[in-house]
Amino acid sequence: MRTAALPPIVAAIVALAVSGIRRLSPILLESSLSLPSAEALSTYLVSAQFTAFLLVYGLLFGAALLAGLGNTDVSATLTALATGASATGSFLLGSAVVLWYLSPDRGPVVTAVFALGASLGVGIQFAVVAYAGVSLGERRSEGPSPIVP
């Protein structure tokens, strides 16, 4: 059994994007840009959350499904662990950068503690999505299952 390479790579990219999307409202409020109306701002934020949903449950799940369909010797557990670790590290890095931008006077230890909890949650979420995708791909590549009467 081996680990598929595609889901951890996709998870790292998606986690970086999600780390910014989840903190989009404080980024916009703290920036020097002029803010649009409240209706437009809420539309932007909801659209960003939907984009994050599509990235996680569309792109990441699709990559995991493809990995499970393409290879019969891919381990769903090892791929999920690698995906979770990749997403945790990438989200931690992205969150630390965003939190440092939002409040540079905060110490690095405090920033790391704030980012660590969310990063672990994202890593677990991405690991579950990858496990589900690879497992489904393995089941689909086995052929149709017999119907039990």
Side-chain angles (χ1 to χ4, degrees):
M1 296 310 231
R2 65 180 186 82
T3 302
L6 185 61
I9 294 170
V10 170
I13 295 167
V14 169
L16 272 176
V18 169
S19 69
I21 289 172
R22 284 196 176 175
R23 291 177 178 83
L24 187 59
S25 57
I27 290 171
L28 290 175
L29 292 174
E30 293 290 326
S31 70
S32 60
L33 300 172
S34 62
L35 293 176
S37 67
E39 291 176 358
L41 184 61
S42 64
T43 302
Y44 297 154
L45 295 176
V46 169
S47 299
Q49 290 295 327
F50 183 68
T51 302
F53 175 83
L54 288 179
L55 287 172
V56 174
Y57 295 104
L59 187 62
L60 179 59
F61 183 79
L65 180 66
L66 185 65
L69 283 172
N71 302 316
T72 57
D73 64 335
V74 170
S75 169
T77 305
L78 293 176
T79 301
L81 288 173
T83 301
S86 168
T88 299
S90 184
F91 191 88
L92 181 63
L93 177 68
S95 294
V97 168
V98 169
L99 288 172
W100 178 78
Y101 169 76
L102 291 175
S103 58
D105 56 335
R106 186 181 298 164
V109 173
V110 175
T111 301
V113 168
F114 279 134
L116 187 61
S119 300
L120 291 174
V122 166
I124 291 169
Q125 175 191 6
F126 283 28
V128 169
V129 170
Y131 185 84
V134 173
S135 295
L136 181 64
E138 288 174 350
R139 297 282 266 163
R140 292 282 184 170
S141 64
E142 292 173 0
S145 61
I147 299 175
V148 178

